[in-house]
Amino acid sequence: MSAYVLNSWYMAAWAEEVPQGQFLARKLLDRKWLLWREADGGWAMVEDRCPHRFVPLSRGTFAEGRIACGYHGLTFDGTGACVHNPFGGELPPSARVASLPVVEAHGALWFWPGDADRADPAAIPDFAFIDAGAPIERAAYVMAVNYELIADNLLDLSHAEFLHVESFGTNGSLFSHGAQTVEQDASGAIWNKWDMTGAPPPGWAAAMVGPGGTVDQQLHIRWHAPASLALFIAMRRSGEAEPMVPPMANPHILTPETQHSTHYFFTHAPGEAEAAQARRVFLEEDEPMLAAQAEAMGGADFWDCKPLILASDKAAVLARRKLMQLRKAEAG
């Protein structure tokens, strides 16, 4: 499997996932970490491994921003420094745990696993839309699939015509009435845009349009390295300026748990019906197909499998090439 890009922002969790006055333990990029809120309102992220005998610090006790190892009592603060040695005496410089820069933005906690001096919060992708519109619920799954395969799937919106026929299908309009545009913007984002004009409406919108009515629909998805995506959907009656329903914007933010599993962060409208729809699309339709894809690849590198490339794959290919360039630059 390919190495992780390190000099980038990854999402660790929704801030609301961290228990009040406690820590959240989570595996990210094949390492175990602890996250907690500091007394000053900032955030701490330290490795969940005591440097003494390597046991998880999460098995110890936590109070007032300090974690005490449950094995021998060494205690560490949010910078990773050992602040208490119950045995007394001076400790060597190695008496600390790894810590990473972590900041809160858009209701999410973002961490930087690379060179800390390069961790500029201004480089976090813009997800301001999360709290700018109608009320939402934040959610997350762990998918048993490599994050790049999930990103490929999201960047290839055409798969909705086949895999999400009932849940999210567009009645073939991507091919019969659609035009695809792939572009990169000034922020470095890669966009895959499908614009359908004069298309038959999806089944859920047919009654709103009326017999014989058509719609103009936009399906635009944005990717920032390493794998922070956002989907924008808009629909209008053909020839009208006002949208039929409020335009939708949804984050689809991916962070590797391991090379074979991925934290998938997203939002949905409030309510169990919307949560059930998300489970159907992501866990019952997407994940089984992607898991089957991974199994068929047998652990081989994506490019070593010599994939057939279609025009609809352009955005996903550009994203993969961008990651390859970033890895090459970090490898020196």
Side-chain angles (χ1 to χ4, degrees), residues 128-138 246-250 267-270:
F129 63 79
I130 291 175
D131 287 317
I136 52 89
E137 291 182 8
R138 292 172 167 84
M248 293 180 285
N250 303 106
T267 64
H268 59 74

Side-chain angles (χ1 to χ4, degrees), residues 141 266 268 271-286:
Y141 298 140
F266 63 98
H268 59 74
E272 175 53 31
E274 295 291 341
Q277 175 74 345
R279 288 193 296 270
R280 177 183 182 183
V281 173
F282 298 147
L283 302 184
E284 298 175 19
E285 296 175 350
D286 279 331

Side-chain angles (χ1 to χ4, degrees), residues 73 83 123:
V83 293

